[in-house]
């Protein structure tokens, strides 16, 4: 009986201490965080995907700072002139993952009729350089487990290829480029890589993608001028070997 009474007393004391901790420490911390106000950028009218955001489409409002996403946009200047990567509704707080410096799929306007845009599968995280590839990169394709003999190939006609987009399995592109400073990267693993190639290169890629496993390696990331030098080398090889057009851009 004494032991039972002792246990109840200890339990009661523990409950009182826990209540004091909650009242004196936890509750004030939560209250302080909730009362801290942050200025955020909010949508005032519907903004369709790919629409350029104008000043009259947004406003700044102050809201409680507790439990806000880390990538919420607080400066309207970082939104105006950008493009919506998804449809935004009135009342939505803008996240930097929902805006892009260029219109979604703008890279497709680079096609001149002599080259095509083609997407190929990335079958595991490592095959796509662990999600670190960005638009404008010059990449090289190797092929593993190709054909019945499970060969590993390094096709000369795919030594220098321009990457247009890395896209995750929900269809969202990683729109970060080497010149984008302070813009968060798309964290999702890319499921496909979209590249600009000649029709002959496209045939090779389709075959390798279907009968093997493509691995993309980063060759160059930097200025457009230097990137075009790599593409010119590839174009020269394709021309000399009857595998493509001399124009690589």
């Amino acid at each position: 009986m004494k032991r039972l009474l002792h246990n109840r007393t200890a339990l009661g004391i523990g409950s009182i201490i826990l209540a004091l901790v909650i009242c004196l420490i936890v509750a004030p911390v939560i209250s302080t965080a909730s009362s801290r106000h942050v200025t955020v950028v909010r949508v005032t009218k519907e903004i369709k995907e790919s629409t350029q955001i104008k000043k009259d489409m947004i406003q700044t409002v102050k809201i409680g700072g507790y439990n806000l996403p880390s990538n919420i946009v607080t400066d309207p200047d970082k939104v105006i002139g950008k493009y919506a990567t998804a449809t935004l509704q009135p009342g939505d707080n803008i996240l930097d993952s929902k805006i892009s410096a260029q219109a979604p799929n703008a890279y497709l306007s680079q096609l001149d009729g002599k080259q095509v845009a083609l997407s190929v599968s990335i079958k595991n995280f490592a095959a796509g350089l662990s999600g670190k590839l960005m638009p404008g990169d010059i990449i090289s394709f190797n092929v593993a487990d190709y054909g019945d003999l499970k060969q590993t190939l390094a096709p000369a006609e795919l030594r220098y290829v321009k990457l247009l987009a890395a896209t995750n399995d929900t269809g969202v592109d990683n729109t970060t480029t080497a010149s984008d400073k302070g813009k968060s990267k798309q964290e999702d693993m890319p499921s496909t890589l979209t590249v600009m190639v000649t029709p002959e290169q496209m045939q090779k890629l389709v075959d390798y993608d279907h009968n093997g496993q493509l691995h993309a390696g980063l060759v160059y990331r930097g200025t457009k001028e230097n990137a075009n030098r790599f593409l010119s080398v590839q174009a020269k090889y394709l021309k000399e070997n009857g595998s493509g057009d001399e124009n690589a851009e």
Side-chain angles (χ1 to χ4, degrees):
M1 186 66 180
K2 289 183 178 180
R3 180 176 298 178
L4 179 60
L5 182 61
H6 177 74
N7 290 341
R8 287 182 176 178
T9 302
L11 182 60
I13 293 173
S15 299
I16 293 172
I17 293 174
L18 179 60
L20 288 173
V21 170
I22 293 174
C23 292
L24 299 178
I25 300 177
V26 178
V29 170
I30 295 176
S31 178
T32 300
S34 300
S35 62
R36 180 175 61 89
H37 285 79
V38 176
T39 299
V40 301
V41 181
R42 180 170 290 176
V43 178
T44 59
K45 59 178 68 174
E46 185 181 51
I47 304 174
K48 296 287 188 181
E49 181 180 356
S50 301
T51 300
Q52 188 174 37
I53 301 174
K54 302 183 183 302
K55 186 176 181 179
D56 64 349
M57 298 176 177
I58 60 172
Q59 65 178 352
T60 56
V61 296
K62 287 188 176 182
I63 61 175
Y66 179 67
N67 205 29
L68 288 178
S70 60
N71 62 338
I72 195 167
V73 180
T74 59
D75 184 355
D77 290 337
K78 294 182 178 180
V79 175
I80 297 171
K82 300 292 181 65
Y83 294 86
T85 60
T87 298
L88 303 174
Q89 299 295 337
D92 287 350
N93 296 326
I94 296 181
L95 307 178
D96 63 9
S97 59
K98 298 296 184 182
I99 56 176
S100 171
Q102 63 179 5
N105 303 328
Y107 50 79
L108 297 179
S109 63
Q110 301 176 38
L111 301 175
D112 58 5
K114 298 176 182 178
Q115 294 184 302
V116 297
L118 174 71
S119 293
V120 293
S121 303
I122 297 301
K123 297 175 182 176
N124 60 60
F125 195 48
L129 200 68
S130 303
K132 294 178 174 60
L133 292 174
M134 299 192 299
D137 285 347
I138 302 300
I139 62 175
S140 179
F141 282 111
N142 279 14
V143 190
D145 298 329
Y146 178 70
D148 295 335
L149 298 179
K150 302 298 181 182
Q151 295 175 291
T152 298
L153 307 175
E157 61 269 65
L158 299 173
R159 187 178 180 187
Y160 303 126
V161 178
K162 183 175 182 178
L163 179 68
L164 298 179
T167 308
N168 67 19
D169 58 7
T170 64
V172 177
D173 291 343
N174 172 9
T175 56
T176 305
T177 64
S179 61
D180 287 335
K181 303 299 183 181
K183 183 174 176 62
S184 64
K185 296 182 179 180
Q186 177 62 250
E187 296 295 333
D188 293 339
M189 167 184 162
S191 296
T192 63
L193 299 179
T194 301
V195 293
M196 186 166 63
V197 293
T198 66
E200 291 77 13
Q201 287 175 304
M202 180 179 70
Q203 291 180 354
K204 292 286 188 180
L205 277 171
V206 170
D207 179 34
Y208 293 143
D209 190 24
H210 181 70
N211 296 302
Q213 180 171 300
L214 288 167
H215 287 254
L218 178 63
V219 176
Y220 177 77
R221 174 179 295 164
T223 66
K224 182 178 179 180
E225 179 182 358
N226 287 336
N228 285 339
R229 291 175 181 171
F230 288 94
L231 298 178
S232 295
V233 172
Q234 183 69 81
K236 181 179 179 181
Y237 173 87
L238 295 175
K239 181 182 179 182
E240 292 176 349
N241 290 271
S243 300
D245 191 277
E246 62 180 340
N247 295 311
E249 295 184 28

